[in-house]
Amino acid sequence: MPFLGQDWRSPGWRWVKTEDGWKRCEPFRPALEDGNNQLNDISHSVIITGDGESEEVYNTEDCEFAAKKRKKDHFRSNTDSQCFYREKWIYVHKESTKERHGYCTLGEAFNRLDFSSAIQDIRRFNYVVKLLQLIAKSQLTSLSGAAQKNYFNILDKIVQKVMEDQYNPRLIKDLLQDLSSTLCILIRGVGKSVLVGNINIWICRLETILLWQQQLKNLQMNKQVNNGLTLSDLPLHMLNNILYRFSDGWDIITLGQVTPTLYMLSEDRQLWKKLCQYHFAEKQFCRHLIPSEKGHIDWKLMYFALQKYYPIKEQYGDTLHFCRHCSILFWKDTGHPCTASDPNTCLMPVSPQHFIDLFKF
């Protein structure tokens, strides 16, 4: 049997047995199918041109060729189309086998894991943004054309979501700043083939990024009118407990700017000490002690100083998981077809950096 691609069985496709062997049934859009049926109906028939004078007969091969060309032109013209899969998981394989040929790529992962829908879930939003930020810093030169297209489509949806919902704009500003800085450096390498694709396309993308940055800079937060209970009405111990739940120093500072009471609570030394102890080991912050004027340790300055030298712990509402038994990457709540006797023992949460490492070859 001839070799047909990554897997000759092509999971997910329908096959029909014919006199010439097994043939794959390709599901196309209804419009295309109607067009194909019309072409098939006029096989071996006479087609009359517009002037009504000349005639031309098309055989079956000509019709099949025309149908294939229409399909190809349709998918090429639809530049915003993406492949959507029912199963939101992907088999991660790093070497070729008899059953599977080739390797998994970031572009495939973007489609199969459906990051476009993941950003609509508040539990996964920060995870996807952090992943795009890491790719912007280190993986832009290795992205294929399909991966680039998916990357910027997802980025566009993220920016539009932030503009509409006004959710966590600071996180997106950091992402766009890292992306624009990396692109400015790489675009200077014209002629060195540092980026896949035409350099003019990347210049247009850079201009789009700068436009997004300006839009976020001019973003005005809507003031919500609420006559009910507000944050300021809560007792001090409850406000203090809320601040102790934060794992990001910038979130504490931002909340402290709301009211004078919250500002006083956000400057608590014990709060910043707990934050340092959560993110960093004792050996790490002992090397960078920053005493205040009164001789005490300034834990707030300590936190931001340590952040420059050591990575902080990452917290996400939901992350991708990797099954060591099946070598499948998936969102935990969507599941995957695991063949292990106890699937829970094979699961491993995947950080954004680990996700990128899985697709490095």
Side-chain angles (χ1 to χ4, degrees):
M1 185 173 180
F3 185 75
L4 297 177
Q6 292 185 349
D7 186 348
W8 66 270
R9 293 169 296 186
S10 293
W13 293 94
R14 292 191 301 109
W15 290 78
V16 177
K17 190 174 183 179
T18 64
E19 296 180 355
D20 300 328
W22 288 91
K23 290 188 176 181
R24 187 174 67 187
C25 295
E26 300 181 358
F28 293 100
R29 296 187 179 183
L32 293 177
E33 291 179 350
D34 294 342
N36 296 340
N37 294 335
Q38 293 176 4
L39 287 174
N40 292 333
D41 293 340
I42 59 177
S43 299
H44 303 288
S45 62
V46 177
I47 300 179
I48 303 177
T49 59
D51 54 10
E53 297 178 357
S54 58
E55 296 179 349
E56 188 174 357
V57 179
Y58 289 86
N59 55 29
T60 305
E61 295 180 357
D62 294 333
C63 294
E64 291 179 353
F65 176 79
K68 291 180 180 179
K69 188 175 186 303
R70 289 184 61 190
K71 297 170 189 174
K72 182 182 292 186
D73 292 341
H74 174 81
F75 288 114
R76 282 184 175 178
S77 62
N78 189 7
T79 56
D80 295 331
S81 64
Q82 289 184 342
C83 299
F84 296 96
Y85 297 84
R86 185 180 304 171
E87 303 86 2
K88 293 181 174 59
W89 52 265
I90 184 172
Y91 177 81
V92 181
H93 54 104
K94 293 191 174 183
E95 57 183 8
S96 298
T97 63
K98 292 182 179 179
E99 292 79 15
R100 291 183 177 272
H101 178 70
Y103 306 91
C104 294
T105 63
L106 279 174
E108 293 178 67
F110 282 150
N111 270 345
R112 295 297 296 268
L113 298 174
D114 197 10
F115 284 164
S116 295
S117 299
I119 62 174
Q120 304 300 328
D121 190 334
I122 193 171
R123 299 171 303 162
R124 300 174 181 174
F125 182 84
N126 290 3
Y127 183 91
V128 176
V129 172
K130 181 63 176 180
L131 176 59
L132 297 186
Q133 189 174 15
L134 291 176
I135 293 175
K137 291 181 178 179
S138 61
Q139 298 297 311
L140 282 181
T141 55
S142 61
L143 291 181
S144 65
Q148 293 172 19
K149 178 182 175 181
N150 292 338
Y151 181 94
F152 283 94
N153 282 342
I154 296 171
L155 185 58
D156 181 35
K157 293 181 180 180
I158 289 176
V159 174
Q160 299 308 319
K161 177 178 176 59
V162 173
M163 296 295 294
E164 294 174 3
D165 301 344
Q166 301 178 349
Y167 174 73
N168 210 341
R170 177 176 56 83
L171 192 64
I172 313 305
K173 290 178 181 178
D174 293 341
L175 165 60
L176 294 179
Q177 180 60 40
D178 291 337
L179 182 58
S180 61
S181 299
T182 304
L183 275 182
C184 287
I185 295 174
L186 294 177
I187 287 177
R188 294 172 187 167
V190 178
K192 298 179 181 179
S193 301
V194 292
L195 289 170
V196 177
N198 191 300
I199 192 64
N200 294 324
I201 296 178
W202 284 102
I203 293 176
C204 291
R205 287 171 176 167
L206 179 58
E207 293 175 351
T208 302
I209 293 170
L210 297 177
L211 177 61
W212 287 338
Q213 287 179 309
Q214 188 63 36
Q215 290 176 348
L216 291 173
K217 184 178 180 181
N218 299 332
L219 179 63
Q220 298 292 331
M221 305 299 288
N222 295 331
K223 186 176 181 179
Q224 297 183 355
V225 179
N226 189 355
N227 298 325
L229 187 67
T230 63
L231 190 64
S232 303
D233 298 325
L234 296 176
L236 290 179
H237 73 277
M238 294 186 66
L239 294 175
N240 200 42
N241 286 335
I242 292 175
L243 286 169
Y244 271 84
R245 297 296 188 274
F246 283 60
S247 61
D248 191 326
W250 283 110
D251 291 337
I252 295 176
I253 292 177
T254 303
L255 186 59
Q257 296 173 349
V258 177
T259 63
T261 302
L262 286 171
Y263 175 77
M264 177 191 66
L265 294 175
S266 67
E267 293 295 318
D268 182 25
R269 290 180 60 252
Q270 192 64 23
L271 171 64
W272 290 98
K273 181 180 179 180
K274 291 289 186 182
L275 193 62
C276 288
Q277 291 174 340
Y278 172 76
H279 286 290
F280 311 106
E282 185 176 355
K283 293 181 179 180
Q284 293 175 338
F285 58 75
C286 284
R287 298 174 184 174
H288 304 275
L289 291 177
I290 304 177
S292 63
E293 297 178 357
K294 298 180 180 180
H296 302 294
I297 298 176
D298 193 331
W299 292 104
K300 182 177 179 181
L301 292 179
M302 175 80 70
Y303 170 81
F304 290 105
L306 292 173
Q307 197 177 30
K308 297 178 181 178
Y309 296 100
Y310 310 105
I312 63 175
K313 289 184 180 179
E314 299 177 356
Q315 280 189 335
Y316 304 102
D318 190 15
T319 64
L320 289 170
H321 282 69
F322 181 74
C323 179
R324 292 186 292 267
H325 178 78
C326 306
S327 296
I328 286 179
L329 192 64
F330 64 101
W331 295 106
K332 190 175 181 179
D333 59 349
T334 59
H336 76 288
C338 187
T339 58
S341 56
D342 189 2
N344 292 330
T345 61
C346 306
L347 303 185
M348 178 180 65
V350 178
S351 67
Q353 184 59 55
H354 186 197
F355 175 89
I356 294 177
D357 294 337
L358 286 174
F359 296 94
K360 284 184 179 179
F361 305 110

